[in-house]
Amino acid sequence: MENNIYILLTVFIPLFTTVVTLVLARHNRTQRWVGFAGSALAWGCSLIVLMMVIGEGPQTYRMGGYVPPYGIVMVADMLSALFGFMATTVMMAGFMYNIHSKEKSVGYPAFVPLFAVMATGLNGSLYTGDLFTFFVFMELMVLSSVAMVAMSDNRYGLEAAIKYVFISGMGTLFLLAGIAAMYITFGTLNLADMARLLILTGENRELLARSAAVMLMSAFLLKSAVFPFHFWQPDFHTTAPTAVSAMLSSVIVKVGIYMIIRTLTLLFTFEAPQIQNLLIFLGIIGIFFGSLAALRTYNGKRVLAYSTIGQVGFILVAIGWARLDNTGTVAPLALTAAIIYAFNHAFIKSALLMIMGLVAGQSHEHSVDFVDIEGIGHKIPAIIGMLWFLGGMSLAGLPPMNGFISKFAIVRSGVAFGEWLPLGLAVGSGTLTLMYMFRTWQRVFQKKGEVSLHLLESHEKGDGWLAPAFLIGICILLGLYARPLVILAEQTAMQIMQPEIYISAVNLFGG
């Protein structure tokens, strides 16, 4: 369907929310509720888009009425619709968390508008069908998140924001260089048009097209905090306000994953085997590095930040296995596993970071250093510890949580492809996840002893557990009733392995 207004609404309702909340700058409580209402509307639109894609096929919206490849076109196929639904759901939970947050930064007049700008950039990055427009939305997302980290309650927030500005600049340079190389080569930045032209050239690729693949992949790997592009991530995610760190570690990093999948299956299909070998290598290293660093760190949020590096490694390994065999069955299976893992991880990680924010919210110091919060579980509401336990089970891949479905999908695809060594390493590292999650559980929620923090009075305690409980509820539901997600992921994998579906949906030149 052309000119599906719901795609446009999903992207621009958060931007309209930004304007409204700026007008309400002196009414912070109202700002928070308006932000949540806007996110709920965007979530509803993304759900409608997903249902229409399932029922009718890919949907598009032509900005300004221009016929592609001229102008900007927004495209929702199974991949972008599923990732868009995931992103808007987690963002809605983030706005929900902000309503009850006691962090000073959330009370600043600019915080909620910036949070809405981040949502606009996130949704736009997933739905755009144009490479340069992707860059614009990505920078909206980056700059808004940098500003929110700079205003964080954490005294190191400004330092982390400045570090990321410089490091992100390197990723932006790679991205712009790749965009320029593609434009010089093909004279277009429309993804469908570039895919059409690349199919026509076959293996006889122009030199700049191959160079663009390297530059774009470098940019996407940096945005996803993939080892060795990870060094900005722990400081940036740890010092961010809780709702922001929950978004950064769960859905923002998925934009890079989304573009890796998109470009490998749509644009760089001939270069894919070489890139996938590298992804497997980086993924295995990332799994071990992230898990070992999480096991040895000193801060609750930092544990989860390093954990993201490891969890992204699992997704990269599955993408690396996504190659066709003689029957054409392995690639969809591995891609299915990558999509399931990315989808489930978003809910698990955002919930856990919000729960750690709840722990921080029990004291005047808002610290989550283990030396400060050790044993705090006996002095705070029991539901916080219960939610952490369930989230830890899910991240470690224990049944009946959705994390088990993710790990099972990875194992199933690895066995089908016969990748025994990387599969054994990936499965073995799963024990490290179990170790650092339950080490944190024991130190914070089970160990008895004096807490060094000055806790709030009982009537002031907590930032509100509704948002993480909502996300944990989704984790339980997707664990007990995983079949719908598995079917959607399978359909998505099958669709994106056929680039002609995406190209024809965009209806180039109105033909």
Side-chain angles (χ1 to χ4, degrees):
M1 175 181 173
E2 294 181 358
N3 290 339
N4 187 325
I5 190 65
Y6 293 105
I7 301 175
L8 195 67
L9 290 174
T10 303
V11 176
F12 288 101
I13 282 177
L15 190 61
F16 177 73
T17 303
T18 302
V19 176
V20 175
T21 51
L22 280 172
V23 173
L24 298 169
R26 296 187 179 183
H27 307 278
N28 183 254
R29 195 69 182 171
T30 306
Q31 266 190 329
R32 301 187 197 196
W33 279 104
V34 169
F36 173 70
S39 68
L41 286 173
W43 173 83
C45 291
S46 72
L47 177 59
I48 293 172
V49 170
L50 178 60
M51 297 304 294
M52 294 182 75
V53 170
I54 294 171
E56 304 174 15
Q59 310 287 303
T60 62
Y61 187 91
R62 297 176 178 179
M63 302 286 287
Y66 291 99
V67 177
Y70 310 107
I72 299 169
V73 61
M74 312 299 288
V75 185
D77 64 344
M78 286 296 298
L79 182 64
S80 56
L82 189 61
F83 270 64
F85 176 71
M86 169 197 75
T88 54
T89 305
V90 176
M91 285 299 305
M92 182 173 65
F95 277 102
M96 187 188 305
Y97 183 89
N98 285 335
I99 292 174
H100 302 285
S101 178
K102 301 288 194 300
E103 293 176 81
K104 293 179 181 178
S105 56
V106 181
Y108 296 156
F111 184 87
V112 176
L114 285 169
F115 204 81
V117 170
M118 184 172 68
T120 302
L122 174 62
N123 297 343
S125 298
L126 298 174
Y127 286 114
T128 184
D130 178 271
L131 198 54
F132 185 77
T133 311
F134 168 79
F135 161 74
V136 173
F137 280 121
M138 173 68 80
E139 289 307 298
L140 271 179
M141 187 171 58
V142 168
L143 293 176
S144 57
S145 60
V146 165
M148 287 185 287
V149 172
M151 66 174 67
S152 170
D153 296 1
N154 191 301
R155 60 178 178 170
Y156 297 112
L158 181 60
E159 177 186 340
I162 293 172
K163 284 180 182 177
Y164 181 63
V165 165
F166 285 106
I167 296 169
S168 179
M170 182 171 61
T172 300
L173 181 62
F174 282 132
L175 184 57
L176 283 175
I179 290 172
M182 293 298 282
Y183 186 76
I184 291 169
T185 303
F186 300 111
T188 179
L189 290 176
N190 182 282
L191 290 171
D193 200 25
M194 286 190 290
R196 179 184 65 85
L197 294 170
L198 283 165
I199 289 173
L200 292 176
T201 60
E203 296 184 9
N204 301 316
R205 300 296 176 89
E206 291 85 351
L207 178 60
L208 283 179
R210 295 183 182 275
S211 302
V214 176
M215 291 181 283
L216 291 175
M217 283 297 155
S218 297
F220 302 149
L221 290 171
L222 191 149
K223 299 297 184 182
S224 298
V226 174
F227 183 92
F229 301 97
H230 69 283
F231 40 86
W232 59 271
Q233 196 254 26
D235 287 344
F236 192 66
H237 289 204
T238 302
T239 58
T242 298
V244 179
S245 63
M247 301 305 106
L248 291 171
S249 286
S250 61
V251 290
I252 301 298
V253 296
K254 298 302 189 310
V255 174
I257 295 297
Y258 165 81
M259 286 303 291
I260 289 172
I261 296 174
R262 173 69 74 200
T263 51
L264 284 181
T265 56
L266 184 65
L267 301 181
F268 305 121
T269 52
F270 284 99
E271 293 83 6
Q274 292 84 3
I275 296 173
Q276 287 171 309
N277 287 333
L278 178 63
L279 293 182
I280 294 172
F281 178 71
L282 295 179
I284 292 295
I285 294 177
I287 290 170
F288 278 94
F289 175 82
S291 299
L292 291 171
L295 190 62
R296 298 300 302 168
T297 194
Y298 60 90
N299 179 283
K301 281 189 176 182
R302 207 170 182 85
V303 167
L304 298 173
Y306 277 117
S307 169
T308 295
I309 299 171
Q311 300 302 310
V312 167
F314 282 101
I315 302 171
L316 292 183
V317 169
I319 296 173
W321 288 338
R323 309 171 198 171
L324 286 171
D325 63 3
N326 294 330
T327 64
T329 57
V330 174
L333 184 62
L335 272 179
T336 298
I339 293 165
I340 291 173
Y341 207 106
F343 191 91
N344 281 330
H345 175 260
F347 298 105
I348 300 167
K349 187 54 61 70
S350 55
L352 287 170
L353 278 159
M354 289 180 188
I355 295 165
M356 194 53 68
L358 291 177
V359 172
Q362 306 306 305
S363 69
H364 291 289
E365 293 85 350
H366 282 245
S367 171
V368 285
D369 288 349
F370 288 136
V371 69
D372 294 324
I373 62 174
E374 200 168 54
I376 198 174
H378 295 280
K379 299 179 182 295
I380 63 176
I383 190 170
I384 298 177
M386 185 185 305
L387 291 173
W388 179 271
F389 183 80
L390 292 171
M393 284 181 59
S394 191
L395 193 67
L398 299 179
M401 305 298 291
N402 62 338
F404 171 74
I405 305 300
S406 301
K407 293 290 197 303
F408 180 77
I410 293 284
V411 172
R412 184 166 170 252
S413 60
V415 170
F417 196 60
E419 290 278 359
W420 300 109
L421 178 59
L423 177 61
L425 292 172
V427 171
S429 70
T431 59
L432 295 176
T433 308
L434 190 65
M435 289 171 63
Y436 67 70
M437 287 308 298
F438 284 97
R439 169 179 171 267
T440 304
W441 157 260
Q442 289 176 335
R443 293 190 65 176
V444 178
F445 297 102
Q446 281 193 314
K447 188 174 182 178
K448 293 183 179 180
E450 292 298 322
V451 182
S452 62
L453 294 174
H454 179 54
L455 299 183
L456 299 174
E457 297 299 324
S458 59
H459 67 279
E460 297 180 295
K461 284 183 178 179
D463 289 333
W465 47 265
L466 184 60
F470 166 70
L471 293 169
I472 291 295
I474 293 175
C475 294
I476 295 172
L477 178 64
L478 291 176
L480 296 175
Y481 190 50
R483 190 59 187 162
L485 174 60
V486 173
I487 292 173
L488 286 177
E490 288 173 346
Q491 292 174 349
T492 301
M494 291 300 296
Q495 186 182 94
I496 62 179
M497 290 302 299
Q498 304 173 65
E500 61 274 9
I501 295 177
Y502 186 94
I503 296 170
S504 62
V506 176
N507 194 19
L508 294 167
F509 307 103

